[in-house]
Amino acid sequence: MIRLNEIHEKILSYNPEADLDLINKAYVFSAKVHNGQVRMSGEPYLVHPMEVAGILASLKMDVPTIAAGLLHDTVEDTWATIDEVSDLFGKEVADLVEGVTKISNITFNTELAKQAENFRKMLVAMAKDIRVIIIKLADRLNNMRTLEYMPEDKREIIARETLDIYAPIAHRLGIYWLKSELEDLAFRFTKPELYYKLSKMVAKTRKEREKYVHEVEHIMRGILEKEGMKVDVSGRPKHLYGIYQKMEKYNLDFEQVYDITAFRVIVDGIKDCYQALGIIHTTWRPVPGRFKDYIAMPKNNMYQSLHTTVIGPKGEKVEIQIRTREMHIVAEEGIAAHWKYKEGKLVDTKEDVTFRWVRHLIEWQQELKDPESFMQFVKVDLFPDEVYVFTPKGDVIELPVGATPLDFAYAIHTDVGNHCASAKINGKIVPLKSSLKNGDTVEVITSPTAHPTRDWLRIVIVPKTKAKIRQWLSKEEREESQSIGKELLESEFSKFNFEFSKFAGSNEMNHYLSEAGIKTIDSLYSQVGYGKVSPFQVMKHLIPLDKLNELKPKTDSAISKLFKLVARKSSTAVKIKGMDDILVRFAHCCNPIVGDPIVGFITRGRGITIHTADCPRTLELDTERKIDAEWDVGSNILRPVKILVTGIDKPGLLANITNSISSMGINIIRASVAPNRNQKSTLMFEIAVKDTHQLRDISNNIAKIKDVTNVQRVMSGESA
C-alpha cells in the first residue's frame, strides 16, 4: 500500500505550496469511517482510497481532488453524510465526492435506453467539474488492478464496461498511460486465454527485442546527432491490447506483428521535429500511408506529434513518434499538462480547447433524444480517428475516418447538406459515397432541387449527419403520410355518404383523439397514412354502429383492401401490441430469433417487419412507423441463424463441429468452409434454433472444441 508520506512527496514535487493539512485531515477521516471494513482481497479498505489518492497525485491533481480521492467512498459505503463532508472539508471537496458517488451508481451493461440515460448523467457530472471523472478513472484503475478478487460473474461485466467507457474517456483526456493500463487489465478479464497466450509470446521474445531496441536507439541517436541535433531517443513496447487489436484488424499472427515497439524522438522545437523526420525518412524507407502530422493538426485532446513508420534495421517495421519536450509533457500527463498552479490552486489554462468535446457531447445529448442515435454518437466521439480536410477557402474541417463528402457538406451547414447535389475532391467530381483522406480539399455543389434520400443514410458515417438526414426525411414522410391519411379518411367516410370535414373539428373527434392518446388531428392523419390506425376504426368512434350497418358500402374501401392484404394469421411466434392477425415478416439484416429484444416497423401493404431492437438498420427507419412487438412465450418456432467459426486449419475440424451441433439435435441448414492465410480456417453454418439460450449453448460447445479460436453470431443480408 502506498504510504501517506509518499503521497505528500508526489504532491510537493509539482505543487510546493500545497495544503498538506487538508490531505492529512482527509486521510484521518477516511481511516476512521472505513475502520473494520475489508476489501475482497482481504486488505483493509483504507488501501483503496489511499491508492486512488496516489494515482491522482501521479496525475498532478490539486489538493481538493486528492482529498476527494481519499474520501470518495465515504458517503456511499460508510455512515458519513455529504453534509458532514461539506462541514469538515468545504463545499468544493464535498461536490467532488458527491459527483463521484453519483457516477459510481451508474451502470452501462443495461438495455440501450437505460445505457443512454446513464451516459447523459455522466456527461452532466463531467461538464459540471471535469475533476469528477478523473477521480472516477483513478478509482476504476485501482479496482481493475485488483479485479481478480471480484466474483467471477462480475469480472467480465466490469472489464467490458472499462473497455467501452472508461478507457476511451482516459484517451479523450490524453492520459495515455492510464488508458493503456485500463485496456490491458480489461483485456486480461474479457479474453483471458488470448491475454495469457500473448503475454507468453511477448515474454519469449523480450530479450531479443530489447537487444534490437537498443540497437535502433543507438543508430537513430547517432544519425540525428551527426546532423547537429540535440535529441532524446527511447523505445518502448506497445501494450498487449494494442498488439491484439493490430492482430485482429489485419488478421495477423503474432510473428507477423513487427512494429510492437514504438520509438520516441524528443527534440527542442517544432522545426526540429520536421528536420528529424526528414533525416529519418532519408535513412530508412517510409511505409506509405503511415505518416500522420498531429503537430499541424492536433487531436481534440491537444495531443501533438509526428507519427511515421519506416522499414528500419534488419528490414523490420519501426514506428516512430517525433515531438518537442512540451508536446511530450502533454502526451505523458494528459489533462494535467493543461493546468498550472497559482497560489496553490489548480487553474485550467486551455479550457476552451481541452474540454470542447465535453460541451460538444452535452449539446448533442440535448438534441438526440433517441437512445440508439445518442449512443452511436457517443461511441464515434469516444473512439475518434480523425481525418482533416479543407474547404476551398482553406478552412480545416475535422471528421471521423471513413467520412464522406455528404458528412463534410452537413459539417459546413445543414442547408448545404440538404441541398447537396454533387461534390469535388481535389478538383475532381466524385461519388457522394467516396471516403475522404487527410489533406483533401472538398467542394460541395448544391442545387435547390436536390434533397436527402433514404440511401444517404447508408453513405454517411457521422451520427450528427444521420440525425439531420433522418430529421428531413421524417418531416417529408410525415407530411406525405398526413396527406395520404386525410385522403383515406375522406374516401372511407364518403363510402357511407358522410363528409369527413364535418367531423374533423367536432367535439366527438376531440373526445376520440383524447381517448386514443393522439395529440392533434394532423397526428391522426399521419397514423392513418402509415396504417397504424384504420379509417373505419376512426369512423366507429364517431358514428353509431347501427347507423354504419344500415349504410354498409357495397364495395370494399381502399383501406379495407389493404388490411385484407396484411391480415393473415401468423405463425411467427410474434405478438403485436393492439393488432391481431397481421402479417409478420422478419428482417434479413438482423435475422431475429426468439429471445432477442425486438421491435416492429409497419411496411405499407406488407404488414409488420420485425427487427432486433439494436439493429443498425432501424436507425434509418422512420420512428413514426415503429410499433411494439414481443415474442409469444408459448410458441415453439425454429428460426434460422448463422454462426461464424474460426479455427486452426487441421483435419477433422469440420467433422468435430458438425458432430457437436448434431449431438444437440440441431438441424444444419447449410455449411461452408473457407481456408485463410496462416493455417486458419473460417466456417459458416446456418442452423435452426429455438431461441437465444439454445444458440448460446451451441456456441459454448463449439468454443470448447480443440483448434477453435472464435465463435460468433453473424447478422447479414439486406432487409426488404
Side-chain angles (χ1 to χ4, degrees):
M1 179 179 86
I2 191 170
R3 299 180 182 279
L4 186 62
N5 66 323
E6 291 176 277
I7 296 173
H8 287 171
E9 287 170 8
K10 283 187 177 186
I11 297 170
L12 293 174
S13 70
Y14 61 85
N15 184 10
E17 305 301 317
D19 178 11
L20 296 183
D21 287 342
L22 187 66
I23 300 294
N24 295 337
K25 189 177 176 183
Y27 166 76
V28 170
F29 184 80
S30 185
K32 178 182 175 184
V33 297
H34 286 302
N35 185 39
Q37 294 181 345
V38 293
R39 304 192 77 199
M40 291 281 188
S41 62
E43 296 175 308
Y45 195 89
L46 183 63
V47 170
H48 174 60
M50 287 290 286
E51 292 293 342
V52 170
I55 293 166
L56 292 170
S58 297
L59 290 168
K60 300 187 177 179
M61 299 306 296
D62 62 341
V63 167
T65 306
I66 298 169
L70 285 164
L71 302 167
H72 77 276
D73 277 337
T74 55
V75 173
E76 186 177 3
D77 294 336
T78 76
W79 45 260
T81 66
I82 199 68
D83 289 337
E84 188 175 5
V85 172
S86 183
D87 290 342
L88 288 171
F89 301 97
K91 188 175 184 303
E92 183 180 9
V93 172
D95 285 347
L96 290 171
V97 171
E98 188 173 30
V100 177
T101 302
K102 286 178 179 176
I103 290 179
S104 296
N105 291 326
I106 293 174
T107 56
F108 293 95
N109 58 317
T110 56
E111 67 274 13
L112 195 62
K114 187 71 174 173
Q115 191 180 54
E117 185 54 37
N118 285 338
F119 209 99
R120 292 179 203 272
K121 291 176 184 175
M122 178 178 275
L123 287 177
V124 170
M126 289 164 66
K128 189 175 179 182
D129 194 327
I130 199 72
R131 293 175 295 175
V132 167
I133 197 64
I134 297 174
I135 298 170
K136 183 59 190 174
L137 286 173
D139 171 55
R140 178 53 62 106
L141 178 59
N142 183 246
N143 283 332
M144 287 299 296
R145 285 172 175 173
T146 56
L147 194 60
E148 71 264 28
Y149 298 108
M150 288 293 289
E152 191 172 348
D153 60 328
K154 290 186 179 180
R155 290 178 204 161
E156 188 171 351
I157 293 172
I158 295 169
R160 174 51 54 193
E161 184 182 83
T162 300
L163 273 182
D164 290 345
I165 305 296
Y166 293 104
I169 289 175
H171 173 80
R172 267 309 207 154
L173 294 176
I175 314 171
Y176 290 106
W177 69 266
L178 198 153
K179 172 234 181 195
S180 298
E181 188 174 346
L182 285 175
E183 285 180 339
D184 276 357
L185 289 167
F187 179 34
R188 175 183 166 192
F189 293 101
T190 52
K191 295 185 182 293
E193 289 182 13
L194 282 170
Y195 173 85
Y196 287 111
K197 185 178 179 182
L198 200 55
S199 297
K200 286 178 183 176
M201 288 176 173
V202 171
K204 194 182 292 184
T205 61
R206 180 170 286 123
K207 284 186 179 179
E208 183 184 334
R209 194 151 294 281
E210 284 177 354
K211 182 182 176 185
Y212 181 76
V213 167
H214 290 317
E215 286 176 11
V216 174
E217 284 177 349
H218 178 73
I219 295 168
M220 204 180 301
R221 190 180 297 109
I223 61 172
L224 293 170
E225 288 179 348
K226 188 178 178 182
E227 298 297 325
M229 298 191 71
K230 183 182 176 185
V231 296
D232 292 328
V233 179
S234 61
R236 59 177 180 82
K238 288 186 176 179
H239 66 300
L240 286 179
Y241 188 69
I243 298 170
Y244 162 73
Q245 283 182 307
K246 178 160 283 191
M247 290 168 65
E248 284 290 296
K249 183 176 180 181
Y250 299 106
N251 192 28
L252 300 173
D253 288 331
F254 175 74
E255 292 76 15
Q256 295 173 294
V257 183
Y258 294 110
D259 53 341
I260 66 171
T261 303
F263 290 86
R264 289 190 189 129
V265 176
I266 300 173
V267 296
D268 289 334
I270 291 176
K271 286 183 180 179
D272 298 321
C273 290
Y274 291 98
Q275 184 185 350
L277 178 72
I279 295 167
I280 289 167
H281 278 187
T282 303
T283 306
W284 295 306
R285 182 165 57 86
V287 176
R290 296 295 300 273
F291 170 66
K292 291 183 179 178
D293 188 344
Y294 293 121
I295 293 179
M297 291 176 284
K299 291 189 176 185
N300 277 338
N301 54 23
M302 298 309 293
Y303 172 88
Q304 288 181 289
S305 282
L306 298 177
H307 287 201
T308 188
T309 301
V310 299
I311 306 298
K314 299 180 182 178
E316 286 203 23
K317 287 182 182 176
V318 176
E319 188 177 295
I320 303 167
Q321 300 163 358
I322 307 169
R323 58 179 73 139
T324 66
R325 299 178 200 287
E326 185 181 23
M327 292 171 193
H328 184 61
I329 292 170
V330 172
E332 288 295 292
E333 298 178 5
I335 199 168
H338 299 301
W339 283 332
K340 65 180 180 181
Y341 287 89
K342 189 175 181 181
E343 298 173 357
K345 183 74 176 174
L346 197 62
V347 180
D348 183 8
T349 58
K350 297 183 180 178
E351 194 225 355
D352 284 344
V353 179
T354 310
F355 304 134
R356 182 176 58 192
W357 70 277
V358 180
R359 287 192 299 278
H360 181 53
L361 280 173
I362 285 287
E363 288 166 8
W364 271 92
Q365 71 96 7
Q366 292 165 353
E367 290 194 39
L368 294 174
K369 302 301 180 186
D370 177 53
E372 288 101 331
S373 302
F374 175 64
M375 287 310 293
Q376 189 183 12
F377 178 76
V378 165
K379 285 172 184 174
V380 170
D381 207 83
L382 278 182
F383 293 87
D385 202 352
E386 305 91 349
V387 291
Y388 299 90
V389 294
F390 298 93
T391 68
K393 293 182 178 179
D395 296 325
V396 177
I397 302 293
E398 179 187 329
L399 293 164
V401 165
T404 66
L406 268 178
D407 290 303
F408 175 88
Y410 277 96
I412 299 298
H413 195 277
T414 302
D415 286 341
V416 174
N418 284 341
H419 295 288
C420 176
S422 60
K424 291 181 179 180
I425 296 180
N426 303 325
K428 294 181 180 178
I429 294 281
V430 296
L432 291 178
K433 65 180 180 181
S434 304
S435 291
L436 301 178
K437 297 181 177 63
N438 270 323
D440 282 344
T441 297
V442 186
E443 181 183 353
V444 177
I445 300 161
T446 60
S447 167
T449 58
H451 59 77
T453 68
R454 196 156 290 282
D455 288 339
W456 283 16
L457 291 168
R458 302 189 191 190
I459 292 174
V460 300
I461 72 151
V462 179
K464 184 176 176 180
T465 307
K466 286 182 185 284
K468 288 179 177 178
I469 293 170
R470 278 197 298 272
Q471 192 176 34
W472 192 93
L473 291 172
S474 181
K475 180 175 178 290
E476 287 295 301
E477 289 183 2
R478 189 161 53 249
E479 289 173 0
E480 183 187 358
S481 68
Q482 286 173 5
S483 175
I484 292 170
K486 188 175 182 183
E487 189 178 319
L488 286 170
L489 284 164
E490 287 172 347
S491 174
E492 191 73 5
F493 273 64
S494 69
K495 296 286 182 183
F496 292 84
N497 296 318
F498 291 109
E499 288 183 36
F500 175 73
S501 58
K502 291 183 178 179
F503 292 89
S506 66
N507 290 332
E508 290 87 347
M509 176 61 80
N510 291 334
H511 180 68
Y512 165 66
L513 293 177
S514 177
E515 256 191 1
I518 300 171
K519 291 182 179 179
T520 64
I521 191 76
D522 283 340
S523 296
L524 174 64
Y525 295 152
S526 184
Q527 292 202 22
V528 172
Y530 277 122
K532 279 189 175 181
V533 177
S534 74
F536 189 77
Q537 191 179 341
V538 177
M539 199 155 48
K540 279 193 313 183
H541 284 81
L542 301 178
I543 302 167
L545 271 176
D546 55 349
K547 196 169 183 180
L548 283 177
N549 289 332
E550 289 173 17
L551 302 169
K552 190 174 181 181
K554 293 178 183 177
T555 58
D556 284 341
S557 65
I559 198 70
S560 298
K561 289 176 182 176
L562 173 64
F563 269 77
K564 279 185 179 178
L565 178 64
V566 300
R568 302 172 192 164
K569 197 70 178 174
S570 169
S571 59
T572 54
V574 172
K575 295 192 293 186
I576 304 298
K577 188 176 179 181
M579 291 189 183
D580 296 318
D581 298 340
I582 286 291
L583 178 67
V584 172
R585 53 196 293 275
F586 293 100
H588 299 304
C589 49
C590 53
N591 203 22
I593 63 175
V594 178
D596 286 329
I598 54 173
V599 65
F601 282 85
I602 294 172
T603 310
R604 193 169 291 119
R606 299 169 72 182
I608 309 294
T609 302
I610 301 298
H611 292 261
T612 59
D614 59 354
C615 174
R617 184 71 189 277
T618 61
L619 296 174
E620 301 172 14
L621 301 175
D622 189 352
T623 52
E624 292 279 350
R625 291 163 50 199
K626 191 173 180 180
I627 196 161
D628 291 336
E630 61 183 22
W631 295 105
D632 185 350
V633 180
S635 65
N636 192 22
I637 187 173
L638 293 177
R639 290 280 304 141
V641 64
K642 291 179 181 177
I643 55 172
L644 183 70
V645 183
T646 53
I648 300 168
D649 190 11
K650 288 185 177 179
L653 180 62
L654 176 60
N656 290 338
I657 295 170
T658 53
N659 288 339
S660 178
I661 296 172
S662 300
S663 68
M664 296 184 68
I666 304 302
N667 181 40
I668 299 174
I669 301 168
R670 60 177 59 88
S672 63
V673 182
N676 295 339
R677 316 182 306 174
N678 316 320
Q679 280 112 25
K680 288 186 178 179
S681 190
T682 301
L683 305 94
M684 179 76 78
F685 296 89
E686 187 172 359
I687 58 178
V689 298
K690 289 188 296 186
D691 53 30
T692 51
H693 297 295
Q694 191 175 47
L695 176 61
R696 185 185 61 218
D697 292 342
I698 294 165
S699 300
N700 288 341
N701 283 352
I702 294 172
K704 292 174 185 175
I705 296 172
K706 186 181 178 183
D707 298 326
V708 168
T709 56
N710 190 44
V711 183
Q712 66 184 72
R713 179 179 173 184
V714 177
M715 306 290 191
S716 63
E718 288 299 317
S719 174

